[in-house]
């Protein structure tokens, strides 16, 4: 404003002044115009410069903050050239190396510089390891397997990230990384997205009806009698017919008998259980797994899994199916996409050993990065269930006996009901599976496997009336499954209870006849027998005497003292074990066992438990508790632990 006023005054003076000589006036006017114009240009330039600088200062942003905010929102996808004929020259290689160097500098600076921002941005929520998320993501997709495994380990051990950072990993990681995180003990569950929404049920349909439709859609080829039995039973029976047959449970014959074990259950749940039993058998056939996946089985089973949160038996059968499907690598992507990895990651952290072990089997079958073995139905790894840096130097296998199971046979003696009602956190005081808790802690370099198979005392208790499984048949089946799990690749100690010991003897004899099983024999170091009836059992004699009550199963009949098959097994194995110089330890009960509420029986007498080699140790317990130590410092467990350590001493030292 002052500059403009000055210009106006100068103009008025020129206009009102007395006319001097013409030449003087001309030059004076020129000077005044120059002064006016110069002042105007200079002042305007200064003004514009000031305004521009002020505006720039007002609008300037810290680019580091912008870049880090972008990193919170963007998901970066690994890109590559589609031009296969592209020829990368020296310049391209030089740029590539330069970029590598720059990334290393940025990564280092992100770790060293803790306050890289001006005071105006000091309140921004930025961590010094902010860039680590993206660096680890990139590392997890490296072509170098060791780098990938290291990246997953670092992710799982990170606990200071913000929620959005875990979600970035969950969205951007590949299936291998996701499975690796699920099999890492310290992984945060925020690494796993919720499973995708399930498709709506068809109109006027139910999960029970869709489960039947899934079963009906499966091929009826390559089926044994048991699969046919469960399939036809599940498809033919309705909820109403099941309810109607509740009154006929004890008829000896007909279809009423199989429901004896389901007495008191809701009929629809019973039908679902039979359908699931049938699908479990179908899922052991690879081509049937393809049909289950193609017909929406993964989503339907997930719906059932959610609906039956309070029914562990249903959930375990569903996990058995998923575990069998995971044996087929071409189905891995479908299993991951359907959200089962997220569900199993949560199940792995369960305090219930059975639930965690079923989940561990599924994830181990999915994890082809660190696991070469495949765990078929009934083969469960109790330790290690997670990825571990601890080298595994030997295997210990647990084989249960009649009416036993992979977990309940090896629980502590015996406050089972109290544990079911309220789990005890101190596993040294009580454990529902002492091999998983006590033995794994005392011998961390062992892989501990427990095997499960169906047995029965009598035919009317059999889950499949058509099933007639001899010891020879079961031993071949178990041997095949255990070899697929890598048994024989390391030194082995076998631990068995009751009829399980006969299976171990038969498996080793069969393995000695097959060239592909030679490693199983060569790596067997020792065997522990808990009350194994090497020379027969009174249980078989008792069952024969009251056959109209118990209807002894084939397994029990084979335990008779006059069984030719049992005598031949004993003679052949004794000679074989002496020749191979196996280390042997025998335990035997001294107290009778109650079978039901009326029958009291000394199942395996001392003379029958004597194999003929190795120590024979009587213990004041009954047949059921001979493999269930009262506590961790009890003689039964400590002597077992001593035998394992002594037998595997050289292998564990190497």
């Amino acid at each position: 404003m002052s500059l403009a006023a000055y210009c106006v005054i100068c103009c008025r003076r020129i206009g009102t002044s007395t006319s001097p000589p013409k030449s003087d006036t001309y030059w004076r006017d020129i000077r005044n115009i120059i002064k006016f114009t110069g002042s105007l240009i200079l002042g305007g330039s200064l003004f514009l410069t000031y305004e521009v600088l002020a505006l720039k200062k007002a609008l300037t942003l810290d680019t580091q903050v912008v870049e880090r905010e972008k990193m919170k929102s963007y998901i970066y996808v690994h890109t590559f050239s589609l031009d296969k004929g592209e020829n990368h020259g020296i310049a391209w290689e030089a740029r590539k190396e330069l970029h590598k160097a720059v990334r290393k500098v940025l990564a280092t600076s992100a770790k060293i510089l803790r306050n890289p921002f001006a005071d105006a941005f000091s309140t921004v929520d930025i961590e010094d390891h902010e860039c680590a998320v993206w660096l680890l993501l990139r590392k997890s997709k490296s072509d170098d397997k060791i780098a990938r495994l290291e990246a997953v380990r670092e992710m799982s051990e990170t606990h200071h990230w913000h929620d959005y950072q875990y979600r970035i990993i969950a969205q951007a990681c590949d299936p291998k990384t996701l499975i690796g995180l699920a099999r890492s003990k310290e992984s945060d569950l925020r690494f796993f997205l919720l499973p995708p929404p399930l498709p709506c049920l068809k109109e006027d349909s139910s999960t029970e009806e869709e489960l039947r439709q899934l079963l009906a859609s499966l091929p009826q080829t390559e089926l044994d009698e048991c699969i046919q039995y469960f399939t036809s039973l599940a498809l033919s029976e309705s909820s109403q017919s099941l309810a109607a047959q509740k009154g006929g449970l004890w008829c000896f014959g007909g279809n009423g008998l199989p429901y004896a074990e389901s007495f008191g259950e809701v009929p629809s749940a019973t039908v679902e259980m039979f359908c699931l039993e049938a699908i479990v058998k179908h899922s052991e056939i690879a081509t049937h797994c393809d049909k289950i996946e193609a017909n929406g089985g993964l989503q339907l089973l997930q719906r059932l899994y959610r609906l039956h949160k309070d029914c562990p038996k249903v959930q375990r059968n569903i996990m058995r199916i998923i575990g069998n499907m995971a044996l087929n690598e071409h189905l891995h992507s479908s299993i991951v996409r359907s959200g089962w990895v997220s569900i199993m990651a949560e199940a792995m952290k369960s305090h219930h050993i059975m639930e965690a072990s079923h989940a561990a089997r599924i994830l181990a079958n999915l994890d082809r990065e660190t696991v070469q073995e495949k765990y078929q139905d009934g083969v469960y790894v109790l330790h290690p269930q997670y990825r571990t840096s601890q080298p595994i130097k030997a295997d210990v296998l647990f084989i249960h006996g009649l009416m036993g199971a992979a977990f309940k046979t090896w629980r502590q003696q015996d406050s089972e009901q109290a544990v079911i009602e309220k789990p005890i956190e101190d596993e040294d005081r009580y454990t529902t599976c002492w091999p998983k808790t006590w033995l794994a802690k005392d011998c961390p370099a062992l892989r501990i496997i427990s095997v499960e198979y169906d047995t029965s005392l009598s035919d009317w208790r059999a889950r499949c009336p058509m099933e007639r499984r001899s010891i020879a048949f079961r031993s071949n089946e178990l041997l095949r499954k255990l070899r697929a799990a890598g048994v024989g690749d390391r030194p082995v100690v076998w631990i068995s209870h009751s009829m399980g010991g006969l299976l171990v003897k038969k498996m080793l004899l069969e393995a000695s006849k097959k060239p592909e099983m030679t490693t199983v024999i060569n790596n067997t170091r020792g065997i522990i027998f808990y009350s194994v009836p090497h020379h027969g059992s009174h249980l078989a004699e008792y069952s024969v005497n009251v056959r109209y009550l118990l209807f002894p199963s084939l397994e029990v009949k084979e335990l008779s003292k006059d069984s030719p098959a049992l005598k031949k097994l004993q003679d052949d194995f004794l000679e074989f074990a002496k020749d191979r110089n196996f280390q042997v330890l025998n335990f035997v009960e001294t107290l009778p066992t109650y079978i039901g509420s009326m029958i009291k029986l000394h199942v395996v007498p001392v003379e029958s438990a004597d194999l003929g080699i190795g120590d024979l140790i009587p213990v004041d317990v009954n047949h059921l508790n001979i493999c269930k130590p009262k506590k961790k410092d009890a003689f039964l467990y400590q002597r077992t632990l001593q035998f394992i350590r002594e037998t595997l001493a050289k292998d564990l030292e190497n």
Side-chain angles (χ1 to χ4, degrees), residues 508-509 512 521 572-580 582:
L508 291 175
L509 286 173
S512 67
I521 302 300
D572 290 349
F573 183 78
L574 183 59
E575 181 181 355
F576 174 68
K578 288 179 178 178
D579 181 60
R580 303 296 302 192
F582 292 150

Side-chain angles (χ1 to χ4, degrees), residues 349-363:
K349 298 183 182 296
S350 171
H351 294 296
H352 298 284
I353 288 176
M354 280 190 279
E355 181 182 1
S357 298
H358 278 277
R361 173 180 170 248
I362 293 172
L363 292 172

Side-chain angles (χ1 to χ4, degrees), residues 12 67 76 120 122 125 139 205 226 278 293 299 312 317 333 349 362 382 390 427 432 436 457 496 557 559-560 588:
R12 286 181 178 176
E67 289 301 316
Y76 295 88
S122 60
D125 185 16
K139 190 176 179 181
S205 184
C226 248
E293 188 273 331
Q299 291 75 22
N317 274 329
S333 58
K349 298 183 182 296
I362 293 172
L382 303 181
Q390 168 72 53
E427 292 175 335
T432 54
K436 183 181 186 303
L457 284 174
S496 59
K557 290 176 183 177
L559 299 184
S560 300
V588 61

Side-chain angles (χ1 to χ4, degrees), residues 6 18 103 205 230 262 270 306 327 351 357 399 453 551 584:
Y6 173 77
T18 310
R103 282 198 297 271
S205 184
F230 278 117
S262 302
T270 306
R306 294 179 185 179
L327 292 169
H351 294 296
S357 298
I399 317 292
Y453 57 96
F551 300 105
V584 176

Side-chain angles (χ1 to χ4, degrees), residues 165-351:
Q165 292 171 301
Y166 291 103
R167 298 306 178 190
I168 287 173
I169 298 288
Q171 293 176 66
C173 70
D174 58 17
K176 290 180 180 178
T177 302
L178 186 68
I179 293 166
L181 288 170
R183 294 198 69 237
S184 299
K185 190 171 185 178
E186 302 300 326
S187 286
D188 194 297
L189 289 178
R190 287 175 291 178
F191 280 123
F192 308 98
L193 298 175
L194 292 175
L198 297 173
C200 296
L201 289 172
K202 298 175 183 177
E203 189 175 355
D204 298 328
S205 184
S206 64
T207 54
E208 177 189 337
E209 183 59 32
E210 292 207 359
L211 191 62
R212 292 190 206 181
Q213 291 176 6
L214 174 63
L215 182 57
S217 70
L218 299 179
Q220 298 303 307
T221 57
E222 303 179 56
L223 304 182
D224 63 22
E225 288 183 334
C226 248
I227 303 179
Q228 294 176 6
Y229 167 75
F230 278 117
T231 301
S232 62
L233 181 66
L235 293 177
S236 63
E237 300 294 346
S238 66
S239 299
Q240 291 78 12
S241 65
L242 282 172
Q245 290 188 10
K246 285 295 180 180
L249 291 176
W250 302 105
C251 61
F252 287 80
N255 289 332
L257 292 175
Y259 307 123
E261 291 185 302
S262 302
F263 182 74
E265 292 181 357
V266 179
S268 62
T270 306
V271 174
E272 289 176 354
M273 279 296 296
F274 276 110
C275 286
L276 289 172
E277 288 281 1
I279 296 174
V280 166
K281 299 293 185 181
H282 279 277
S283 66
E284 294 177 358
I285 304 171
T287 54
H288 293 207
C289 290
D290 296 339
K291 284 287 185 180
I292 294 172
E293 188 273 331
N295 295 334
L298 290 170
Q299 291 75 22
L300 178 59
L301 292 172
Q302 193 175 127
R303 186 187 301 279
L304 277 169
Y305 187 89
R306 294 179 185 179
L307 286 174
H308 292 283
K309 288 183 178 179
D310 298 325
C311 186
K313 286 180 68 177
V314 171
Q315 288 195 331
R316 286 199 294 270
N317 274 329
I318 291 171
M319 287 194 279
R320 286 174 67 191
I321 296 169
I322 304 301
N324 290 344
M325 294 179 70
L327 292 169
N328 305 285
E329 294 187 34
H330 65 279
L331 295 178
H332 286 188
S333 58
S334 298
I335 294 172
V336 173
R337 284 198 307 270
S338 61
W340 277 106
V341 174
S342 301
I343 296 172
M344 292 303 101
E346 184 176 359
M348 281 280 284
K349 298 183 182 296
S350 171
H351 294 296

Side-chain angles (χ1 to χ4, degrees), residues 78-97:
H78 179 66
T79 59
F80 56 93
S81 174
L82 297 177
D83 183 6
K84 295 183 179 179
E86 182 179 355
N87 183 21
H88 301 307
I90 297 176
W92 184 88
E93 292 292 341
R95 287 199 302 272
K96 180 180 176 182
E97 295 302 320

